[in-house]
Each structure stands twice: as structure tokens, then as C-alpha cells.
Amino acid sequence: MSYKTLLVHIDDSSRCETRVALALDLARRWDAHVIGLYLVGDDLGKPLFGVDENLLTSLTAHATERRRQAQQTFLAMAERAGRPVEWRAPAGPPVETATLHARHADLLVLGQPDPRDPTTYVDRHFVGELVLGAGRPALVIPHAGAIPTLGENVLIAWDGSREAARAIADALPLLRRARFVGVDVVRRADNFDAASGAIDVAAWLEGHGIRASFSTTPRHGIVGTGATLLNRISDLHADLLVMGAYGHSRARERVWGGVTRTMLESMTVPVLMAH
């Protein structure tokens, strides 16, 4: 198993080039094709009361120029990397449009939204909705910080769920190339039986030629599982987290699992998520 088609989300943010560079590097590893999917917030689709036609024309021209610049940057980076790529800038509702295109890829490369940078905004819960709805694994890149390595020291968050099992299976191409792989179970401080699940996962990975250590990390007091995992990532100097993603709809609003929400908001390293 390997990734042969990568889909990277492209927007107008300064962080986009980091995301594209990572996608091109991954494509080199597996001799994969890269699709650049340009989707940005639809400012022009919102009602414009009291705006004259000249201003609307100017806004449209500005959006066209941003798209042209993004395409030129993407194609230039691909040419320097020597990778075959494809540019797509489809129209339509962002989540639904991205989900359709994502289902024809092996791995999605997405960016964590930055609340301080409006150019990273596409749609409310865009990344989370895509992870849950596309049926494909997504590698989500933090909105800040250098990423000198990716997938050399991998931490797997295991909780025995279907989503976690799916994430590990989807991450196999990355895990096979890792130097270190650890399976960690975050447990309540008084639960000493949690280690068996991590042991079984490590044994399963051994069957795929991947040597993995296993451990349990106690969760103390009011500290949540997500915060405990972030601390564990820091302690181990991990450069990739693999985890299942959780969420469901309630009263027309998406409700995220606690760990999923924490990672989407506060990730410090790239996170491979699957649902």
C-alpha cells in the first residue's frame, strides 16, 4: 500500500506554501501525483447591500488575480520539485465541493485554520467536516511553526475505537518509513489495564514489518486526553500524531469529540486523522 494521489488544499494564506512543499515531498517518496485544490472563502457569494457595480467588479478582479497568483506559485513549486501536478479551482459550496474531489485521492493534505489569519478561512469547520465526510485520511498541518521532519518519530493515539483502527491502517505508508513508532493509550490514573490494547496494536504492526513500542500515559485530574497527548508529543519529540477523528451532528450543529477538537484547535505537529 502507498499513496499514489495526494490532494493538497490551496488558499491565499502565507502558510499555504509550507503545505504544498510537504505534499510535494510526500509525492516524491511514493512517486505520487499531486492535485492542488484551490478553495477560499466565498466573500462574493454573500449579499452586498449598498455596493455599486464598479466595486463588485473590482472585488471579482481581485479574486481572479489571487487565484492566478496561487496557481502560478503552485505550478512553479511543482516544477522545481520535478513532480507531476494538476490544478483545480472548482466552483460550488466549499465543503461539498472539497468532499467530492477528496474522495478520488489517497491522502488529503490540509491546513489548520489560523484564527488570526482570515485568508485561512474557507467555511466553518471546513477541515473537520472534510475529515469526517470524505472517507479519506487527512494530514493536517499546524498553522505555525517549522516542520523540519515529518513521519520520522510517530506517536499513535490508541483508544480501541474503529476510528483509531482506521487511522493506523491509513497511516501504514508513513509508518513503514518511520524511524520510531510508539503506540500510546491515555488512561485514567487508576486504570492499570489499558496497556493490553497498545500491546496488541504493536503486535499487529509487527506483522506489517513495523517495530513499535507501546506505553500508557495517565491522565490526572481535570487535564483532558487531548492536552495529555500534546504533552506526550512534546516529551517524545514526535513529529507526527496518528489518531481517529470523532464528531456527530446535533440540532444542525457539528459536535466534535474532545480530542479531535483539541487537536484541530491546538495541534503542535502534523496530525494524520481518519474517521
Side-chain angles (χ1 to χ4, degrees):
M1 173 187 174
S2 64
Y3 307 127
K4 287 302 181 183
T5 303
L6 309 181
L7 185 145
V8 56
H9 172 233
I10 295 177
D11 56 25
D12 298 323
S13 69
S14 59
R15 188 66 168 174
C16 183
E17 290 191 25
T18 298
R19 195 159 62 243
V20 171
L22 284 170
L24 292 170
D25 181 64
L26 292 174
R28 178 188 55 78
R29 299 186 194 185
W30 294 290
D31 191 25
H33 178 68
V34 178
I35 298 170
L37 184 70
Y38 181 80
L39 284 172
V40 296
D42 185 15
D43 293 328
L44 297 178
K46 300 175 182 178
L48 295 173
F49 298 103
V51 176
D52 62 29
E53 185 174 343
N54 289 335
L55 179 56
L56 182 59
T57 300
S58 176
L59 290 171
T60 302
H62 183 54
T64 301
E65 176 60 19
R66 294 201 316 266
R67 182 171 62 248
R68 185 190 67 81
Q69 290 179 357
Q71 181 179 14
Q72 285 187 342
T73 299
F74 173 64
L75 295 179
M77 292 181 67
E79 184 177 4
R80 290 194 297 270
R83 300 309 312 166
V85 297
E86 178 182 350
W87 168 266
R88 297 179 185 176
V95 172
E96 291 86 346
T97 302
T99 299
L100 176 63
H101 287 265
R103 287 177 178 160
H104 306 139
D106 297 314
L107 178 69
L108 317 180
V109 182
L110 310 175
Q112 177 196 25
D114 184 351
R116 297 164 299 183
D117 183 357
T119 62
T120 66
Y121 178 85
V122 179
D123 196 88
R124 190 180 184 191
H125 305 314
F126 174 74
V127 171
E129 293 285 0
L130 196 53
V131 171
L132 265 60
R136 291 292 185 267
L139 181 64
V140 187
I141 309 303
H143 61 60
I147 305 175
T149 62
L150 175 67
E152 290 190 4
N153 184 8
V154 183
L155 180 66
I156 297 171
W158 177 251
D159 61 2
S161 67
R162 177 186 66 83
E163 289 82 358
R166 181 72 266 163
I168 297 173
D170 287 338
L172 282 176
L174 282 162
L175 298 178
R176 289 194 181 99
R177 289 172 171 263
R179 296 176 60 193
F180 305 100
V181 177
V183 182
D184 193 79
V185 176
V186 176
R187 61 174 174 83
R188 297 190 310 273
D190 59 351
N191 179 8
F192 298 97
D193 299 324
S196 60
I199 295 171
D200 291 339
V201 173
W204 179 78
L205 289 171
E206 183 75 27
H208 286 269
I210 300 166
R211 299 193 64 181
S213 62
F214 55 87
S215 62
T216 63
T217 302
R219 178 169 58 85
H220 298 283
I222 62 173
V223 178
T225 299
T228 302
L229 273 174
L230 288 172
N231 290 335
R232 187 68 172 150
I233 289 168
S234 177
D235 292 342
L236 296 175
H237 303 289
D239 62 4
L240 175 66
L241 174 69
V242 174
M243 60 172 279
Y246 308 88
H248 64 276
S249 296
R250 179 188 298 167
R252 304 170 74 178
E253 176 68 20
R254 179 68 74 182
V255 179
W256 304 106
V259 179
T260 305
R261 182 177 62 252
T262 297
M263 291 305 160
L264 288 174
E265 294 175 352
S266 306
M267 65 176 64
T268 54
V269 298
V271 180
L272 188 142
M273 296 182 169
H275 176 68

